[in-house]
Amino acid sequence: MTTTGAGAEVPSAVDAAGGAVPDVVTDHDRGIHGYHKQKDEHLKRLRRIEGQIRGLQRMVDDDVYCIDILTQVSASTKALQSFALQLLEEHLRHCVADAALKGGAEVDAKVEEATKAIGRLLRT
Amino acid sequence: MTTTGAGAEVPSAVDAAGGAVPDVVTDHDRGIHGYHKQKDEHLKRLRRIEGQIRGLQRMVDDDVYCIDILTQVSASTKALQSFALQLLEEHLRHCVADAALKGGAEVDAKVEEATKAIGRLLRT
Amino acid sequence: MTTTGAGAEVPSAVDAAGGAVPDVVTDHDRGIHGYHKQKDEHLKRLRRIEGQIRGLQRMVDDDVYCIDILTQVSASTKALQSFALQLLEEHLRHCVADAALKGGAEVDAKVEEATKAIGRLLRT
Amino acid sequence: MTTTGAGAEVPSAVDAAGGAVPDVVTDHDRGIHGYHKQKDEHLKRLRRIEGQIRGLQRMVDDDVYCIDILTQVSASTKALQSFALQLLEEHLRHCVADAALKGGAEVDAKVEEATKAIGRLLRT
């Protein structure tokens, strides 16, 4: 998902449009998703969660008491939901807000999509 | 929370501003929250949930089997979350999208507020 | 589901059985579910939740800010889950423990049933 | 945590006790937790979840669309909860049922402990 080529062409497209639509070309259009800048932080979080899951495997392997394993499962689920919330916040801030600038059906579609994703998180 | 008075004054405020900021005065500013139009539907949903809670009281009173009561609790919780999701969708569509039009710190504050509300829903 | 009559007869039934099955006739058999003694407390909790749901209707009716309504939804959901947890604890203490005394397929069936109920609570 | 040696001695210990306490020495006492026999299945499940978490890292690294990442987070959380439910079912079937056979304070403590673990799962 390289954005360099697209990034190089987008400005001229804006020029061609006479600068009349400055709101409409956004980071999101350039392929830069909301979470782009937090990428390192996200990867660090996910590696920590991966470590927790490996810790769970060691616990099962060592016949650790069931309740202690369940406590660790709760911690891992909480960490996953924390990651999801941060991703969602960036998504709302960038993708949904971008759609709002474009207006109309775009924002409705983005909001519906985000709400469905929140519903899936709630149901797990 | 009547909006008539405010609604009558807001246009002149816009006139005074020279119409330069037509995007900035929104339904939300006029005190019309995202869920305004769906009010009747929301009230209907909540009355149905109230009926479910009264049903739970009858079940406890009639010594209904614990597991059947738990099933009904799950249904009520699901109905509450469904209501929350619909409210949230309207909030994102109206309040957050409105904030996006105003830009800057406003949208950041609204998104942070919405994310915290989603976090509270997830944790219950 | 009156238990008075049954309660009066059960002891003699046990006597008639020669006391050979003292583990097998339990409160649960007598129609006294786990939550029987906490009935008043449960009804009190549920009436409080019913009040919260009516509070939500007033909030919607008064056009209260969406986020504040969502906070109240989270509180109601939490209260419902608290009620469910207490009911579940009594169920495990009485019905599941009773089944364990009877042994065999009975306890397996009860545990499977309880786990499914917990799964439904988790998914909402 | 080898149970072979202990397993060989336990029967004679029971014999020595005159068979008066056959209910009291259980698999659980021998260090065999509820999930012992399902160990391989649990490890397989956890390795699959570990793979999902690594998949999430690749998605973030490849700038995959936020909503698709959130969908994968929901799937991983669901898988973790499924694992927790299975562990819990085995715990109830073995540890809690064992405690019921011993009766008294033991079963109360085990049920309270299990309920708290369920509460932690619900809150994440």
Side-chain angles (χ1 to χ4, degrees):
Chain A
M1 201 176 282
T2 53
T3 58
T4 332
E9 287 170 53
V10 164
S12 53
V14 169
D15 288 345
V21 285
D23 291 349
V24 178
V25 177
T26 60
D27 272 6
H28 194 256
D29 294 316
R30 292 191 196 91
I32 305 170
H33 295 300
Y35 61 82
H36 189 80
K37 285 159 202 164
Q38 280 77 26
K39 212 167 165 170
D40 285 347
E41 202 193 321
H42 288 328
L43 288 174
K44 219 169 123 186
R45 264 171 184 266
L46 287 171
R47 274 191 292 264
R48 214 178 307 132
I49 295 170
E50 191 193 330
Q52 287 180 308
I53 307 298
R54 268 201 300 265
L56 279 168
Q57 293 171 47
R58 272 191 305 275
M59 289 174 102
V60 167
D61 216 35
D62 293 351
D63 297 310
V64 167
Y65 184 50
C66 343
I67 296 293
D68 296 328
I69 302 185
L70 289 175
T71 302
Q72 173 69 8
V73 172
S74 295
S76 306
T77 313
K78 199 171 212 133
L80 266 173
Q81 288 198 333
S82 238
F83 165 70
L85 268 183
Q86 201 178 339
L87 211 65
L88 188 69
E89 181 166 8
E90 291 159 22
H91 178 68
L92 293 177
R93 203 183 301 275
H94 298 281
C95 311
V96 175
D98 269 15
L101 295 179
K102 297 181 183 178
E106 183 84 4
V107 69
D108 281 358
K110 285 291 173 195
V111 163
E112 197 188 324
E113 184 189 59
T115 308
K116 278 184 184 163
I118 297 164
R120 281 192 295 272
L121 288 172
L122 274 176
R123 242 143 255 144
T124 53
Chain B
M1 203 174 278
T2 52
T3 59
T4 331
E9 287 170 53
V10 164
S12 54
V14 169
D15 287 346
V21 284
D23 290 351
V24 177
V25 177
T26 61
D27 272 7
H28 193 257
D29 294 315
R30 293 191 195 92
I32 305 169
H33 295 301
Y35 62 81
H36 189 80
K37 285 160 203 162
Q38 279 78 26
K39 212 166 164 170
D40 285 347
E41 202 193 320
H42 289 328
L43 289 173
K44 220 170 124 184
R45 263 170 184 266
L46 287 171
R47 275 192 291 264
R48 213 179 307 131
I49 294 170
E50 191 194 329
Q52 287 180 308
I53 307 298
R54 269 203 298 268
L56 279 168
Q57 293 170 47
R58 273 191 304 275
M59 289 175 101
V60 167
D61 216 35
D62 292 352
D63 297 311
V64 166
Y65 184 49
C66 341
I67 295 293
D68 295 329
I69 303 186
L70 289 175
T71 302
Q72 173 69 7
V73 172
S74 295
S76 306
T77 312
K78 200 172 211 134
L80 267 173
Q81 288 198 332
S82 239
F83 165 70
L85 267 183
Q86 202 179 337
L87 210 65
L88 187 70
E89 181 166 8
E90 290 158 22
H91 178 68
L92 293 176
R93 204 184 301 275
H94 298 280
C95 311
V96 175
D98 269 15
L101 296 180
K102 297 182 183 177
E106 183 83 5
V107 69
D108 281 358
K110 284 291 172 196
V111 163
E112 198 188 324
E113 184 189 59
T115 309
K116 278 183 184 163
I118 297 165
R120 281 192 295 271
L121 289 172
L122 274 176
R123 241 145 256 144
T124 53
Chain C
M1 204 174 278
T2 52
T3 58
T4 331
E9 286 170 54
V10 164
S12 55
V14 169
D15 287 346
V21 284
D23 291 350
V24 178
V25 177
T26 61
D27 271 7
H28 194 257
D29 294 316
R30 293 190 196 93
I32 305 169
H33 293 301
Y35 61 82
H36 188 81
K37 286 159 203 164
Q38 280 77 27
K39 212 167 164 171
D40 285 347
E41 202 193 322
H42 289 329
L43 288 173
K44 220 170 123 185
R45 264 170 184 265
L46 286 171
R47 275 191 291 263
R48 213 178 307 131
I49 295 171
E50 191 193 329
Q52 287 180 308
I53 307 297
R54 269 202 299 266
L56 279 168
Q57 292 171 49
R58 275 191 303 275
M59 289 175 101
V60 167
D61 216 35
D62 292 350
D63 297 311
V64 167
Y65 184 50
C66 342
I67 295 294
D68 295 329
I69 303 185
L70 288 176
T71 303
Q72 172 68 8
V73 173
S74 295
S76 306
T77 312
K78 199 171 211 134
L80 267 172
Q81 288 197 334
S82 238
F83 165 71
L85 268 182
Q86 201 177 339
L87 210 65
L88 187 69
E89 181 165 7
E90 291 159 22
H91 178 69
L92 293 177
R93 202 183 303 273
H94 298 279
C95 311
V96 175
D98 269 14
L101 295 179
K102 297 181 183 178
E106 183 83 3
V107 69
D108 281 359
K110 284 293 173 195
V111 163
E112 197 187 326
E113 184 189 60
T115 308
K116 278 183 184 163
I118 298 164
R120 281 191 296 271
L121 289 173
L122 275 177
R123 241 144 254 144
T124 53
Chain D
M1 203 175 280
T2 52
T3 59
T4 332
E9 287 169 54
V10 164
S12 53
V14 169
D15 287 345
V21 285
D23 291 350
V24 179
V25 177
T26 60
D27 272 7
H28 193 256
D29 294 315
R30 293 190 195 92
I32 306 171
H33 294 302
Y35 61 82
H36 189 81
K37 286 160 202 162
Q38 279 77 27
K39 211 166 164 171
D40 284 348
E41 202 194 320
H42 288 328
L43 288 173
K44 219 170 125 185
R45 262 171 184 266
L46 287 172
R47 274 192 291 264
R48 214 179 305 131
I49 295 171
E50 191 194 329
Q52 287 179 309
I53 307 298
R54 268 202 299 267
L56 278 168
Q57 293 172 48
R58 273 190 305 275
M59 290 174 101
V60 167
D61 216 36
D62 292 352
D63 296 311
V64 166
Y65 184 50
C66 341
I67 295 293
D68 295 329
I69 302 186
L70 288 175
T71 302
Q72 173 68 9
V73 172
S74 296
S76 305
T77 312
K78 199 173 210 132
L80 267 172
Q81 288 197 333
S82 238
F83 165 70
L85 268 183
Q86 201 177 339
L87 210 65
L88 188 69
E89 182 165 7
E90 291 159 21
H91 178 69
L92 294 176
R93 202 182 303 273
H94 298 280
C95 311
V96 175
D98 269 14
L101 295 180
K102 297 181 183 180
E106 182 85 3
V107 69
D108 281 357
K110 285 293 172 194
V111 163
E112 198 188 323
E113 183 189 60
T115 309
K116 278 184 184 163
I118 298 164
R120 281 193 295 272
L121 289 172
L122 274 176
R123 242 144 254 146
T124 52

mmCIF file of all heavy atoms in Angstrom, chain B residues 29-47:
data_model
loop_
_atom_site.group_PDB
_atom_site.id
_atom_site.type_symbol
_atom_site.label_atom_id
_atom_site.label_comp_id
_atom_site.label_asym_id
_atom_site.label_seq_id
_atom_site.Cartn_x
_atom_site.Cartn_y
_atom_site.Cartn_z
ATOM 1 N N ASP B 29 -26.081 23.259 17.381
ATOM 2 C CA ASP B 29 -26.006 24.550 18.066
ATOM 3 C C ASP B 29 -27.391 25.009 18.508
ATOM 4 O O ASP B 29 -27.554 25.672 19.508
ATOM 5 C CB ASP B 29 -25.418 25.613 17.126
ATOM 6 C CG ASP B 29 -23.965 25.303 16.801
ATOM 7 O OD1 ASP B 29 -23.228 24.962 17.736
ATOM 8 O OD2 ASP B 29 -23.602 25.379 15.619
ATOM 9 N N ARG B 30 -28.374 24.639 17.725
ATOM 10 C CA ARG B 30 -29.745 25.069 18.039
ATOM 11 C C ARG B 30 -30.362 24.195 19.125
ATOM 12 O O ARG B 30 -31.539 24.297 19.411
ATOM 13 C CB ARG B 30 -30.618 25.013 16.780
ATOM 14 C CG ARG B 30 -30.215 26.014 15.721
ATOM 15 C CD ARG B 30 -31.241 26.113 14.619
ATOM 16 N NE ARG B 30 -30.677 26.806 13.473
ATOM 17 C CZ ARG B 30 -30.065 26.199 12.454
ATOM 18 N NH1 ARG B 30 -29.962 24.895 12.445
ATOM 19 N NH2 ARG B 30 -29.566 26.910 11.478
ATOM 20 N N GLY B 31 -29.582 23.323 19.680
ATOM 21 C CA GLY B 31 -30.091 22.480 20.770
ATOM 22 C C GLY B 31 -30.799 21.236 20.272
ATOM 23 O O GLY B 31 -31.433 20.527 21.032
ATOM 24 N N ILE B 32 -30.709 21.000 18.985
ATOM 25 C CA ILE B 32 -31.340 19.801 18.439
ATOM 26 C C ILE B 32 -30.274 18.719 18.364
ATOM 27 O O ILE B 32 -29.406 18.744 17.502
ATOM 28 C CB ILE B 32 -31.929 20.066 17.032
ATOM 29 C CG1 ILE B 32 -32.885 21.254 17.096
ATOM 30 C CG2 ILE B 32 -32.633 18.815 16.503
ATOM 31 C CD1 ILE B 32 -33.332 21.774 15.745
ATOM 32 N N HIS B 33 -30.299 17.797 19.318
ATOM 33 C CA HIS B 33 -29.301 16.743 19.349
ATOM 34 C C HIS B 33 -29.562 15.744 18.243
ATOM 35 O O HIS B 33 -30.625 15.727 17.642
ATOM 36 C CB HIS B 33 -29.300 16.040 20.704
ATOM 37 C CG HIS B 33 -28.872 16.948 21.792
ATOM 38 N ND1 HIS B 33 -27.645 17.566 21.790
ATOM 39 C CD2 HIS B 33 -29.508 17.387 22.901
ATOM 40 C CE1 HIS B 33 -27.543 18.318 22.865
ATOM 41 N NE2 HIS B 33 -28.666 18.243 23.553
ATOM 42 N N GLY B 34 -28.565 14.902 18.019
ATOM 43 C CA GLY B 34 -28.636 13.914 16.940
ATOM 44 C C GLY B 34 -29.876 13.050 17.022
ATOM 45 O O GLY B 34 -30.463 12.692 16.007
ATOM 46 N N TYR B 35 -30.294 12.732 18.232
ATOM 47 C CA TYR B 35 -31.359 11.744 18.380
ATOM 48 C C TYR B 35 -32.757 12.357 18.340
ATOM 49 O O TYR B 35 -33.751 11.670 18.526
ATOM 50 C CB TYR B 35 -31.163 10.957 19.688
ATOM 51 C CG TYR B 35 -31.233 11.790 20.946
ATOM 52 C CD1 TYR B 35 -32.459 12.137 21.498
ATOM 53 C CD2 TYR B 35 -30.087 12.223 21.582
ATOM 54 C CE1 TYR B 35 -32.540 12.893 22.647
ATOM 55 C CE2 TYR B 35 -30.151 12.993 22.736
ATOM 56 C CZ TYR B 35 -31.380 13.314 23.266
ATOM 57 O OH TYR B 35 -31.454 14.066 24.399
ATOM 58 N N HIS B 36 -32.821 13.683 18.094
ATOM 59 C CA HIS B 36 -34.088 14.395 18.170
ATOM 60 C C HIS B 36 -35.214 13.733 17.367
ATOM 61 O O HIS B 36 -36.295 13.482 17.885
ATOM 62 C CB HIS B 36 -33.881 15.830 17.704
ATOM 63 C CG HIS B 36 -35.069 16.687 17.961
ATOM 64 N ND1 HIS B 36 -35.329 17.224 19.188
ATOM 65 C CD2 HIS B 36 -36.100 17.056 17.160
ATOM 66 C CE1 HIS B 36 -36.455 17.930 19.132
ATOM 67 N NE2 HIS B 36 -36.938 17.832 17.919
ATOM 68 N N LYS B 37 -34.912 13.456 16.097
ATOM 69 C CA LYS B 37 -35.973 12.942 15.221
ATOM 70 C C LYS B 37 -36.388 11.518 15.578
ATOM 71 O O LYS B 37 -37.477 11.089 15.276
ATOM 72 C CB LYS B 37 -35.531 13.024 13.753
ATOM 73 C CG LYS B 37 -35.571 14.467 13.226
ATOM 74 C CD LYS B 37 -34.708 14.615 11.998
ATOM 75 C CE LYS B 37 -34.301 16.093 11.815
ATOM 76 N NZ LYS B 37 -33.151 16.219 10.922
ATOM 77 N N GLN B 38 -35.457 10.780 16.201
ATOM 78 C CA GLN B 38 -35.760 9.381 16.539
ATOM 79 C C GLN B 38 -36.349 9.265 17.942
ATOM 80 O O GLN B 38 -36.504 8.170 18.451
ATOM 81 C CB GLN B 38 -34.484 8.534 16.455
ATOM 82 C CG GLN B 38 -34.112 8.102 15.043
ATOM 83 C CD GLN B 38 -33.461 9.217 14.259
ATOM 84 O OE1 GLN B 38 -32.865 10.114 14.858
ATOM 85 N NE2 GLN B 38 -33.570 9.190 12.953
ATOM 86 N N LYS B 39 -36.674 10.404 18.535
ATOM 87 C CA LYS B 39 -37.153 10.433 19.920
ATOM 88 C C LYS B 39 -38.248 9.408 20.205
ATOM 89 O O LYS B 39 -38.167 8.653 21.178
ATOM 90 C CB LYS B 39 -37.686 11.840 20.203
ATOM 91 C CG LYS B 39 -37.504 12.297 21.609
ATOM 92 C CD LYS B 39 -37.759 13.798 21.671
ATOM 93 C CE LYS B 39 -37.983 14.244 23.089
ATOM 94 N NZ LYS B 39 -37.999 15.721 23.177
ATOM 95 N N ASP B 40 -39.270 9.387 19.359
ATOM 96 C CA ASP B 40 -40.389 8.466 19.583
ATOM 97 C C ASP B 40 -39.929 7.014 19.568
ATOM 98 O O ASP B 40 -40.328 6.214 20.408
ATOM 99 C CB ASP B 40 -41.480 8.662 18.515
ATOM 100 C CG ASP B 40 -42.268 9.940 18.781
ATOM 101 O OD1 ASP B 40 -42.135 10.495 19.895
ATOM 102 O OD2 ASP B 40 -42.996 10.383 17.881
ATOM 103 N N GLU B 41 -39.061 6.719 18.608
ATOM 104 C CA GLU B 41 -38.551 5.347 18.503
ATOM 105 C C GLU B 41 -37.739 4.994 19.750
ATOM 106 O O GLU B 41 -37.860 3.882 20.279
ATOM 107 C CB GLU B 41 -37.674 5.225 17.251
ATOM 108 C CG GLU B 41 -37.528 3.798 16.754
ATOM 109 C CD GLU B 41 -36.411 3.669 15.734
ATOM 110 O OE1 GLU B 41 -36.259 4.577 14.878
ATOM 111 O OE2 GLU B 41 -35.690 2.656 15.803
ATOM 112 N N HIS B 42 -36.918 5.936 20.216
ATOM 113 C CA HIS B 42 -36.116 5.693 21.419
ATOM 114 C C HIS B 42 -37.007 5.438 22.636
ATOM 115 O O HIS B 42 -36.764 4.521 23.414
ATOM 116 C CB HIS B 42 -35.213 6.897 21.711
ATOM 117 C CG HIS B 42 -34.088 7.043 20.745
ATOM 118 N ND1 HIS B 42 -33.497 5.951 20.150
ATOM 119 C CD2 HIS B 42 -33.441 8.133 20.264
ATOM 120 C CE1 HIS B 42 -32.537 6.374 19.352
ATOM 121 N NE2 HIS B 42 -32.487 7.684 19.393
ATOM 122 N N LEU B 43 -38.044 6.271 22.774
ATOM 123 C CA LEU B 43 -38.933 6.125 23.932
ATOM 124 C C LEU B 43 -39.655 4.782 23.898
ATOM 125 O O LEU B 43 -39.827 4.134 24.934
ATOM 126 C CB LEU B 43 -39.933 7.292 23.983
ATOM 127 C CG LEU B 43 -39.311 8.636 24.371
ATOM 128 C CD1 LEU B 43 -40.324 9.772 24.240
ATOM 129 C CD2 LEU B 43 -38.768 8.589 25.807
ATOM 130 N N LYS B 44 -40.019 4.367 22.678
ATOM 131 C CA LYS B 44 -40.692 3.077 22.510
ATOM 132 C C LYS B 44 -39.772 1.930 22.941
ATOM 133 O O LYS B 44 -40.169 1.017 23.666
ATOM 134 C CB LYS B 44 -41.075 2.905 21.026
ATOM 135 C CG LYS B 44 -42.443 2.274 20.786
ATOM 136 C CD LYS B 44 -42.830 2.384 19.323
ATOM 137 C CE LYS B 44 -43.127 1.029 18.726
ATOM 138 N NZ LYS B 44 -43.409 1.130 17.266
ATOM 139 N N ARG B 45 -38.519 2.006 22.472
ATOM 140 C CA ARG B 45 -37.512 0.999 22.838
ATOM 141 C C ARG B 45 -37.333 0.942 24.357
ATOM 142 O O ARG B 45 -37.286 -0.127 24.951
ATOM 143 C CB ARG B 45 -36.148 1.399 22.279
ATOM 144 C CG ARG B 45 -35.755 0.760 20.981
ATOM 145 C CD ARG B 45 -34.499 1.482 20.486
ATOM 146 N NE ARG B 45 -34.082 1.017 19.192
ATOM 147 C CZ ARG B 45 -33.176 0.066 18.983
ATOM 148 N NH1 ARG B 45 -32.591 -0.512 20.007
ATOM 149 N NH2 ARG B 45 -32.857 -0.307 17.762
ATOM 150 N N LEU B 46 -37.206 2.130 24.981
ATOM 151 C CA LEU B 46 -36.946 2.184 26.426
ATOM 152 C C LEU B 46 -38.140 1.656 27.212
ATOM 153 O O LEU B 46 -37.979 1.012 28.252
ATOM 154 C CB LEU B 46 -36.592 3.610 26.843
ATOM 155 C CG LEU B 46 -35.202 4.083 26.424
ATOM 156 C CD1 LEU B 46 -35.020 5.574 26.691
ATOM 157 C CD2 LEU B 46 -34.109 3.285 27.142
ATOM 158 N N ARG B 47 -39.361 1.937 26.710
ATOM 159 C CA ARG B 47 -40.547 1.414 27.401
ATOM 160 C C ARG B 47 -40.582 -0.113 27.317
ATOM 161 O O ARG B 47 -40.997 -0.789 28.255
ATOM 162 C CB ARG B 47 -41.819 2.030 26.813
ATOM 163 C CG ARG B 47 -42.157 3.397 27.453
ATOM 164 C CD ARG B 47 -43.551 3.866 27.100
ATOM 165 N NE ARG B 47 -43.643 4.222 25.692
ATOM 166 C CZ ARG B 47 -43.510 5.459 25.194
ATOM 167 N NH1 ARG B 47 -43.293 6.475 26.006
ATOM 168 N NH2 ARG B 47 -43.609 5.686 23.908
#
